[in-house]
Amino acid sequence: MSALTQTERDILAGIADYLIPEAEGMPSASQVNLASELADRVFAVRHDLVGPVRGALGKVPGLAGEVAAKKLADIDPEGFHAITTVASAGYFMSPKTREALGYPGQESRPFDPDKTTDYLEDGLLQPVIDRGPIYKPTPGL
Amino acid sequence: MAKNPGGRDEVADVLIIGAGASGSVAAAHLAKAGFSVVCLEQGRKIDASEYFGDKPEWEVTSQKQWHPNPNVRDLDTDYPINTDESDVNPLMYNAVGGSTILYAAHWQRFIPSDFRVKTMDGIADDWPFTYEDLAPFYDQMEEEMGVSGLSGDPAYPAGKAPPLPPLPINKIGRKAAEGMNKLGWHWWPSPNSIPSKPYRGRNACVRRGTCLTGCPEKAKASMDLVYWPDAIADGARLITGARVSKIETNEQGLATGAIYVDRSGRERRQRANVVIMCANSIGTTRLLLLSATGKASNGLGNSSGLLGRNLMMHPYAAVNGLFDEPMESWLGPSGQVIHSMEFAESDPSRGFLRGGKWQVMPSGGPLGLRAGYSGKALDDAWGANFHKNTLRTFGRSFEWGIIAEDLPEYENRVVLDSTLTDSDGIPSPKILYRNAENTRKLLDFHVARAREAMEAAGAIEISHTSLMRDCGWHLMGTARMGNDPETSVVDQWCRSHDVPNLYIMDGSTFVTSSSANPTATITAIALRATKHMIANRRNQEVAA
Ligand SMILES: Cc1cc2nc3c(=O)[nH]c(=O)nc-3n(C[C@H](O)[C@H](O)[C@H](O)COP(=O)(O)OP(=O)(O)OC[C@H]3O[C@@H](n4cnc5c(N)ncnc54)[C@H](O)[C@@H]3O)c2cc1C
Ligand code: SF4
C-alpha cells in the first residue's frame, strides 16, 4: 500500500523540487524520482514520518512548491521538518545523486592489515615517539 | 504470582542482570569456571542483517530506530528516561550486547593518574586499586576482544602489544596528525576493538564506517558476538525479553534473586545464590532503588546514601575543520583513527583540574551534515545553496571530538521518576545532572586548543560545538567503589558493602571518570572481580 495519495505525492514533488532543484551539476529531486519512488523507501523504514508529512501536505492543497514550503515552514515547522527529512534522505539514497556527489555510500573497502603503518615508514609518527612518555607515573602513590 | 521460568525451582549459582559489556564478560567467565549462570536481559538478540550500514537507508534509520538515545528510539525494549533536568542525554542500547551494539569501539585504557585523582590533584577520590593492578586485566580484555592498535603510545606505561595490527588512519587521520606535529602535540594511531584481521570467528573490518549503528559485517567486537556463543556453549542461560523489576532479599538482607516481567506480561522469579548487577549506571541504580525494603528503605545496598549519586557522563565538545581537498571523510573505521592525550593530565595553571581526550572519527554520510541546517533560513539551507553547501563540505571535513573528564558531583544523580514508566509499568529513572564549573572551563580550554590544531592542519573553515546534548555515551558513577562503607557502595571487588552476595560490575562503580572511553576499564574491572569471585567461591556467603 502506498503511503501517499497521488494528490499528496504531487504536492510533495513540488516542494521537493523547490528544496532540491537542478543546480551546481546536481540533479533535482524529480530527476531522481524522489516523490514517486524514494519517498516510499524512506517511509518503509521511517513510519513515524508518514503522519507528520501527510498532515503537512494536507495544509497546502494546490499551492506551488516554493509557496507551500514557505507556508509550512511558518505554520507547521514539525511537519515541514518531516518533509525536508524525507526529501533529503531520499535524495541522498539515489545512485544518481551519489554519483554526482562522488560518494560511493558506506561501501565495503577492505585493506591490507599488514600495510597500515605508513606513518612509521614516512616518519609522520617519529616526532611523537622521539618526545617520549607524557603520562604522570603513579607507582608508590 | 511470580513463577520460575518453565516452572522449575532452579536456584542459579549466579544471576546476572543485563547482557551488555560487563554482564557478558562476567557470564562467559563464570560459565566457563563451572558456575550455573542465568542472565536476564530486557532486550532481544539482534542479527547483523538487521543493521542498515550496508544499505542506502542507513542514515535515515540512524536518526530513529538506531539512534543512541532511547527516548528518540522509543522501542518497547527501551525504558524512557526523564532528562528534563539534565544538561546531557544519557545514551545506550538495550539488547544482547547492550550498548556495545552501538558503541564506536574505541578501546582506550585509563591513564595511571586517573586512579589517583585525590592524591595528585587534591579533589574527588582515589580508586581502591592502581593502574598497575588493573594492567593484566586490560591485557586479557584486549586479547579477548581482538583489539587492533599500535603498541608504544607514550601516553601510557609500556605494556603488552594489542593482538592485532592497527587499522588504517586514512586521509583524515594523516591530516589531523600533520597539524599536531606542527604544534608538537601528542597523537597516536588509535586502539579499537575492531579486528584488522579475521579474529576468533569475527570478520575483518571493511571500513563501512557505520559502527555507531551496528556492524553489518560481524567485525566490531560487540558482546553478543564476542562472548555469548561461548557462554551459552558453556551452559549459561540467557533469557531475553526479561525485564527485571526488583532484586529480592531475605530476612538476613541477603539477595535471593530477581523478579522480572516476560514478553507475555507474566511476572516471573529467578532465584540465585549471587546477583550481579550489569544494567549500566542508570539501569542498575533504577533497579536497586526499586528494590528498597523495610530494612533498606532508600534502596538496596544504599546504607551510604550514595546510590545514584556522582553520575558522570563525559561532556563532549567537537571542533570541525573544513579542508579544500577531498578526504573521503565518510570512510571507516568509526572507530577512532587517531587520538591525543596531550591535554589529558592536570595542569592547574590552566584554571581547571584534570583533562580531556581527543579523537578523530569519520564524519558520516551527507544526510548527517544536513542536520546542522535545521536552524537556518530557508533560502540559505535549500535550493541551489543545498547543493553548494553539500559539495563544499561533504567528504572534506573531519572533527576533533573532545571527551571531558567529568568529576564526581554529589548532586548529579539518578532518581526514580514519580510518574514515568516503561511499557511494563515499571517506574523510570530521572536524571539530575548539571555541568560543573570545572567542566565548562576545561571544555573552553580544549575547544580553543583543538581549533589551533585544526588551523595547524590547514583547515579553511573551523566551527565548534561547545557541548553536545546527545553525548551521554559513557555512563559512570552512581555506586562508587571504595574501602569505606560510609563513603562507597561496593568494595574493590565490586561487592556491595551491605549485601555480601550482591555485586555491581558495570560502570556504576567508577570513582572518577578519566577522559578516556570507559568500556576497556569497565570490562577489565568486571573481569578482575569475576576472577576474584571464582577464586573465592568457597567463601561466598549465600542465602540459606
Ligand atoms: C553510541 C554509543 C557509542 C559508544 N562508544 C564507545 C566507545 O567508542 N568506547 C567505549 O569505551 N565506550 C563506548 N560507549 C559506551 C559503552 O557502550 C558502555 O560503556 C558499555 O556498553 C557499558 O557496559 P555496561 O555493562 O555497563 O552496560 P550496557 O552495555 O549498557 O548494558 C546494560 C544492559 O542491561 C540491560 N538492562 C538494563 N535494565 C534492565 C532491566 N531492568 N532488566 C533487564 N535488563 C536490563 C540493558 O537492556 C542492557 O542490555 C558507547 C555507547 C554508546 C551508546
Ligand atoms: S567500520 Fe568496520 S567495524 Fe565498523 S561497521 Fe564497518 S566493518 Fe564494521
Side-chain angles (χ1 to χ4, degrees):
Chain A
M1 209 192 78
S2 170
L4 302 182
T5 65
Q6 192 53 48
T7 313
E8 288 167 337
R9 210 174 280 280
D10 292 343
I11 305 171
L12 177 64
I15 297 176
D17 267 346
Y18 159 69
L19 297 173
I20 310 176
E22 182 184 3
E24 306 287 324
M26 297 295 291
S28 68
S30 50
Q31 283 167 343
V32 303
N33 298 330
L34 184 91
S36 57
E37 185 194 320
L38 291 166
D40 288 330
R41 284 184 64 186
V42 174
F43 288 135
V45 294
R46 289 290 307 272
H47 313 285
D48 59 298
L49 293 171
V50 177
V53 167
R54 295 192 73 183
L57 295 174
K59 290 176 187 157
V60 287
L63 292 187
E66 178 170 354
V67 186
K70 290 190 165 153
K71 182 166 176 194
L72 284 177
D74 203 30
I75 63 164
D76 182 4
E78 199 197 326
F80 182 64
H81 179 68
I83 289 177
T84 60
T85 301
V86 172
S88 49
Y91 183 72
F92 287 125
M93 279 162 56
S94 155
K96 228 183 197 170
T97 307
R98 290 178 170 206
E99 199 189 325
L101 202 55
Y103 172 52
Q106 300 305 124
E107 61 173 354
S108 166
R109 186 98 73 89
F111 56 90
D112 181 345
D114 295 314
K115 290 199 180 117
T116 56
T117 51
D118 45 346
Y119 39 76
L120 291 178
E121 276 98 65
D122 63 14
L124 188 66
L125 191 58
Q126 201 53 46
V128 185
I129 297 170
D130 292 345
R131 280 195 299 274
I134 60 161
Y135 69 92
K136 292 185 181 170
T138 57
L141 288 181
Chain B
M1 207 192 91
K3 288 198 169 178
N4 274 319
R8 283 176 302 216
D9 204 24
E10 177 200 6
V11 182
D13 290 337
V14 179
L15 172 63
I16 297 171
I17 315 296
S22 54
S24 305
V25 171
H29 284 271
L30 289 165
K32 195 164 183 209
F35 285 70
S36 68
V37 174
V38 174
C39 178
L40 298 175
E41 167 54 54
Q42 68 188 337
R44 62 187 182 89
K45 171 94 177 73
I46 293 174
D47 190 87
S49 63
E50 295 178 53
Y51 301 131
F52 281 91
D54 54 355
K55 303 171 188 75
E57 288 85 352
W58 168 60
E59 277 202 283
V60 74
T61 57
S62 72
Q63 296 180 354
K64 182 67 185 171
Q65 58 267 54
W66 292 105
H67 197 281
N69 183 339
N71 291 347
V72 172
R73 281 195 307 269
D74 198 21
L75 301 175
D76 263 358
T77 44
D78 292 318
Y79 52 92
I81 302 173
N82 183 341
T83 57
D84 291 349
E85 293 179 48
S86 178
D87 288 344
V88 164
N89 292 332
L91 309 177
M92 64 180 75
Y93 201 77
N94 299 309
V96 177
S99 304
T100 67
I101 293 293
L102 298 190
Y103 83 152
H106 304 184
W107 202 261
Q108 195 84 28
R109 296 179 181 207
F110 283 10
I111 52 179
S113 68
D114 288 331
F115 299 91
R116 286 288 170 271
V117 173
K118 175 91 175 174
T119 304
M120 304 203 45
D121 292 303
I123 42 157
D125 253 309
D126 289 345
W127 291 55
F129 48 74
T130 63
Y131 177 89
E132 286 71 22
D133 292 329
L134 205 54
F137 303 96
Y138 275 136
D139 289 346
Q140 187 174 340
M141 279 310 306
E142 287 172 9
E143 194 68 38
E144 293 184 4
M145 297 295 281
V147 171
S148 302
L150 183 75
S151 65
D153 184 345
Y156 292 88
K160 211 168 160 204
L164 292 169
L167 297 161
I169 69 168
N170 298 337
K171 290 180 186 153
I172 54 171
R174 289 190 67 89
K175 184 58 78 183
E178 283 163 19
M180 299 300 268
N181 278 357
K182 278 191 196 150
L183 297 165
W185 289 352
H186 170 266
W187 66 274
W188 200 258
S190 292
N192 291 285
S193 43
I194 295 176
S196 52
K197 295 181 173 179
Y199 193 77
R200 299 187 182 176
R202 281 180 290 125
N203 298 314
C205 169
V206 292
R207 294 194 283 179
R208 283 196 189 274
T210 62
C211 318
L212 282 163
T213 45
C215 173
E217 301 289 335
K218 290 193 183 168
K220 185 182 83 167
S222 55
M223 299 314 197
D224 52 330
L225 302 181
V226 177
Y227 287 107
W228 279 103
D230 284 350
I232 288 169
D234 286 329
R237 207 149 64 79
L238 172 60
I239 304 176
T240 54
R243 185 174 258 143
V244 178
S245 58
K246 188 178 175 50
I247 306 303
E248 292 192 302
T249 45
N250 67 8
E251 287 284 293
Q252 287 73 46
L254 287 162
T256 55
I259 298 285
Y260 68 95
V261 185
D262 72 13
R263 283 318 87 209
S264 57
R266 281 188 25 191
E267 206 171 73
R268 292 180 176 273
R269 169 175 290 127
Q270 176 63 53
R271 297 173 60 206
N273 287 330
V274 168
V275 175
I276 308 180
M277 305 301 298
C278 295
N280 82 33
S281 289
I282 291 176
T284 288
T285 302
R286 174 198 188 204
L287 271 178
L288 294 179
L289 290 174
L290 284 169
S291 305
T293 62
K295 275 186 194 157
S297 58
N298 64 343
L300 190 59
N302 192 22
S303 65
S304 65
L306 289 170
L307 179 67
R309 299 270 177 188
N310 301 306
L311 172 69
M312 297 171 281
M313 293 200 279
H314 272 171
Y316 190 91
V319 172
N320 193 279
L322 177 64
F323 293 79
D324 62 0
E325 58 185 292
M327 292 190 291
E328 303 182 299
S329 44
W330 58 79
L331 183 65
S334 175
Q336 45 180 356
V337 289
I338 70 167
H339 62 274
S340 173
M341 307 295 272
E342 180 68 26
F343 304 106
E345 300 279 10
S346 267
D347 177 351
S349 72
R350 294 174 192 149
F352 59 88
L353 291 168
R354 307 305 299 161
K357 177 214 162 203
W358 301 8
Q359 66 268 313
V360 172
M361 287 174 76
S363 62
L367 186 61
L369 291 177
R370 304 292 103 222
Y373 288 147
S374 51
K376 281 200 172 187
L378 271 194
D379 292 341
D380 288 344
W382 301 102
N385 280 334
F386 174 77
H387 298 308
K388 276 193 195 135
N389 292 332
T390 306
L391 290 165
R392 200 170 60 89
T393 57
F394 181 56
R396 294 164 177 261
S397 61
F398 70 82
E399 199 171 88
W400 270 118
I402 300 161
I403 304 175
E405 174 161 351
D406 199 5
L407 288 167
E409 300 282 340
Y410 185 75
E411 292 303 330
N412 283 344
R413 63 195 191 275
V414 179
V415 297
L416 291 176
D417 195 75
S418 51
T419 51
L420 197 64
T421 67
D422 65 22
S423 57
D424 291 311
I426 303 168
S428 270
K430 176 177 181 173
I431 311 299
L432 302 160
Y433 178 92
R434 295 287 174 235
N435 286 312
E437 171 89 3
N438 192 71
T439 309
R440 283 195 293 271
K441 286 185 180 162
L442 187 157
L443 281 175
D444 286 349
F445 171 89
H446 278 257
V447 164
R449 298 293 81 70
R451 291 186 70 104
E452 288 165 17
M454 276 294 178
E455 210 176 313
I460 52 169
E461 239 177 76
I462 302 171
S463 58
H464 72 259
T465 312
S466 312
L467 173 73
M468 265 164 64
R469 189 170 163 83
D470 264 331
C471 80
W473 298 287
H474 305 157
L475 306 172
M476 298 160 290
T478 73
R480 71 196 314 189
M481 58 166 61
N483 297 324
D484 182 353
E486 293 204 349
T487 56
S488 57
V489 179
V490 297
D491 68 15
Q492 65 159 314
W493 307 109
C494 301
R495 180 154 77 156
S496 160
H497 289 303
D498 300 351
V499 184
N501 64 341
L502 176 71
Y503 291 75
I504 302 175
M505 291 197 189
D506 54 34
S508 310
T509 64
F510 281 27
V511 179
T512 52
S513 75
S514 171
S515 60
N517 318 63
T519 313
T521 304
I522 291 175
T523 53
I525 292 171
L527 179 62
R528 180 175 181 267
T530 301
K531 286 187 158 189
H532 184 264
M533 185 188 283
I534 294 169
N536 293 281
R537 61 204 297 176
R538 288 197 172 70
N539 306 328
Q540 175 65 55
E541 194 177 339
V542 300

